[in-house]
Amino acid sequence: MKKELTNELEVLKEKGLYRSLKIISSYSEKEIVIDGIKYMNFSSNNYLGMSLRPEVKKAAIDAINKYGCGGTSSRLICGTLDVHKELEEKLARLKSKEASLVFPSGFSTNQGIISTLFSSGDAIIMDKLNHASLWDGASLSKARIFIYEHKDMESLEKILKRAQSYKKRLIVTDTVFSMDGDLAPLKEIAYLAKKYSAVTMIDEAHATGVFGEKGSGLAEELGVEKEIDIVMGTLSKAIGSSGGFVCADKETIEYLINKSRAFIYTTSLAPASVCSAIKALEIIEREPEKRKKLLENAKYLKNNLNALGFDTLESESQIIPLFTGEVSKTLEISSKLMDAGIYVPAIRPPTVAEGRCRLRFSLTSQHSKEDIDKLIETIKTELKLRK
Ligand code: PMP
């Protein structure tokens, strides 16, 4: 087997698709140190700086002092602490749902929800660009998977018509797409779901804390919270902690507690993660200016990149792709920027389709206008643009 794996790795190397881990020895609000070299960081999901916020860190340390480091058991044995309950109540309120449940990661949340609530005889209707964890959840469920063209409501409606004979029909979509930074048309999806009696599920991983008046997410921003049946998110991005969650009606959550393998057969989320998330959520609700700043930063970078003639696809969020197309060009630009002290990841297949490579900038509220100006100047110099 070792020989076959080595051969496959060689093929990846030849195609420019080999990946290796970058070891970070220091992480501050805007800078990271990789192999002893400092870079300005434009790749983090710590969108609101919560992971490094002193009150959030203190909440984690206090939690360790009170409860210890590990979850020590699965939730149904002796792994459910009072703070798990507090966090779940807080998340349910944030998402305007009856109940909530926390999982060890956003990835396992998506796997757990879909594979538990849907099975053979059901239809799962996916946006083509949904996150990998949604695809894995759908595959595990053994339901029939249908794919509609990205954000294309005609394509979705056609599928809904075809899928009427399936027992349950689920429409599931990211709200902020993780590699394109564009937004799902939730109002239109909710309308079609009602028309064809489908269940709706959204993945608010990149929208929680970022969109909406109280920072709940894109469903809040677009006024469709009531129309969405199942909302998931992660604690690992704007919330700056670790873990994932689902919010829904009481019966759905009770069912997941009883049946979801990804929830039942794993150790509960560590107390430090739980308590740092509670603290970060408190701050996120009372500091709306952070998310406003984040989205202003995003607009500023996008406008500047567009003015230089770059294609940023349809991004409307803090995730901004700079479309490059082919692998070699993408690696070349990414490496030039790295040489100039800027870290931005090159996104290649299989994360995106062939010919759809890009650099993926992600901004935080902690970036200043000067940081973004510096990035733009570096891009101009390194890529020898004249504008
Ligand atoms: N959904 C989306 C859209 C994501 O981008 C991610 C993480 N990249 C996840 C789910 C998984 O979340 P986590 O990192 O907490 O496992």
Side-chain angles (χ1 to χ4, degrees):
M1 178 166 114
K2 200 171 158 187
K3 191 161 168 268
E4 285 151 23
L5 298 183
T6 310
N7 288 345
E8 277 195 43
L9 287 170
E10 281 310 316
V11 173
L12 288 179
K13 283 179 189 164
E14 278 160 27
K15 290 184 174 167
L17 298 178
Y18 181 77
R19 298 158 184 233
S20 59
L21 298 172
K22 296 188 177 49
I23 311 298
I24 318 281
S25 56
S26 161
Y27 185 97
S28 67
E29 289 214 315
K30 301 179 216 176
E31 288 172 339
I32 45 174
V33 175
I34 306 173
D35 292 334
I37 304 171
K38 200 187 270 184
Y39 298 91
M40 270 180 83
N41 189 11
F42 289 97
S43 69
S44 169
N45 294 328
N46 185 21
Y47 299 130
L48 302 175
M50 289 300 141
S51 170
L52 290 160
R53 181 106 171 201
E55 306 97 292
V56 175
K57 291 205 272 188
K58 181 172 181 305
I61 293 162
D62 290 348
I64 289 177
N65 285 332
K66 183 165 179 190
Y67 301 102
C69 291
T72 74
S73 156
S74 62
R75 287 285 300 269
L76 286 169
I77 306 296
C78 68
T80 298
L81 299 169
D82 47 5
V83 284
H84 284 100
K85 187 162 181 282
E86 187 184 337
L87 175 60
E88 286 166 350
E89 285 170 359
K90 210 166 176 42
L91 288 164
R93 267 199 310 279
L94 179 72
K95 297 286 183 186
S96 302
K97 292 285 170 219
E98 285 175 5
S100 158
L101 195 63
V102 168
F103 286 67
S105 74
F107 201 101
S108 66
T109 307
N110 274 337
Q111 283 185 326
I113 299 168
I114 302 181
S115 64
T116 307
L117 300 179
F118 301 90
S119 57
S120 86
D122 296 329
I124 296 176
I125 307 172
M126 307 266 285
D127 186 289
K128 196 175 175 179
L129 297 190
N130 274 352
H131 189 259
S133 51
L134 293 169
W135 291 103
D136 282 11
S139 303
L140 274 174
S141 75
K142 303 196 174 71
R144 166 84 192 270
I145 300 174
F146 291 89
I147 304 165
Y148 62 94
E149 292 302 322
H150 182 47
K151 297 193 302 184
D152 182 336
M153 294 299 100
E154 263 179 43
S155 166
L156 173 59
E157 184 158 20
K158 260 191 213 151
I159 290 172
L160 281 164
K161 282 182 185 156
R162 269 175 61 205
Q164 279 306 89
S165 60
Y166 287 81
K167 256 191 311 197
K168 287 189 279 235
R169 293 158 306 281
L170 171 72
I171 306 172
V172 55
T173 181
D174 288 19
T175 57
V176 172
F177 286 89
S178 54
M179 294 301 135
D180 288 50
D182 55 349
L183 310 180
L186 291 186
K187 275 190 183 163
E188 292 77 1
I189 290 174
Y191 167 79
L192 287 177
K194 191 160 181 218
K195 185 168 170 189
Y196 293 95
S197 308
V199 179
T200 45
M201 171 175 167
I202 55 175
D203 176 335
E204 294 256 53
H206 297 276
T208 303
V210 176
F211 285 94
E213 187 115 337
K214 60 178 178 167
S216 170
L218 192 66
E220 186 204 356
E221 174 98 19
L222 300 179
V224 292
E225 281 175 300
K226 284 205 180 74
E227 283 85 343
I228 305 295
D229 301 301
I230 303 164
V231 183
M232 75 72 65
T234 173
L235 303 172
S236 65
K237 302 189 195 298
I239 298 168
S241 176
S242 179
F245 64 89
V246 52
C247 300
D249 58 48
K250 278 192 186 130
E251 293 72 18
T252 301
I253 299 300
E254 212 176 308
Y255 191 84
L256 289 171
I257 292 172
N258 280 276
K259 296 269 192 176
S260 171
R261 294 162 66 85
F263 174 79
I264 298 171
Y265 300 107
T266 190
T267 299
S268 70
L269 192 65
S273 300
V274 174
C275 293
S276 54
I278 292 173
K279 181 53 75 182
L281 284 167
E282 271 170 38
I283 298 172
I284 287 170
E285 281 187 60
R286 69 164 192 261
E287 293 185 6
E289 62 276 11
K290 285 241 165 244
R291 49 187 166 275
K292 198 163 159 254
K293 168 90 186 311
L294 173 63
L295 293 176
E296 276 167 14
N297 277 349
K299 206 177 237 176
Y300 187 67
L301 175 60
K302 182 178 148 75
N303 288 344
N304 271 286
L305 289 174
N306 292 153
L308 290 175
F310 290 113
D311 181 2
T312 53
L313 304 178
E314 291 178 13
S315 166
E316 290 184 73
S317 70
Q318 72 282 13
I319 298 167
I320 303 175
L322 185 160
F323 186 76
T324 44
E326 295 311 319
V327 174
S328 55
K329 185 176 170 195
T330 316
L331 290 176
E332 189 191 324
I333 302 180
S334 163
S335 122
K336 276 187 178 166
L337 291 179
M338 248 185 130
D339 289 345
I342 304 270
Y343 179 61
V344 53
I347 308 293
R348 297 162 283 167
T351 307
V352 290
E354 235 162 84
R356 302 287 302 164
C357 295
R358 66 206 59 185
L359 300 179
R360 177 185 182 271
F361 294 95
S362 61
L363 291 168
T364 78
S365 58
Q366 311 312 100
H367 285 119
S368 64
K369 188 167 166 289
E370 291 69 37
D371 296 328
I372 300 171
D373 285 340
K374 195 169 161 206
L375 168 65
I376 298 288
E377 278 312 308
T378 311
I379 291 175
K380 274 197 217 169
T381 316
E382 292 305 312
L383 306 189
K384 299 192 176 39
L385 300 172
R386 278 198 199 90
K387 281 187 202 175

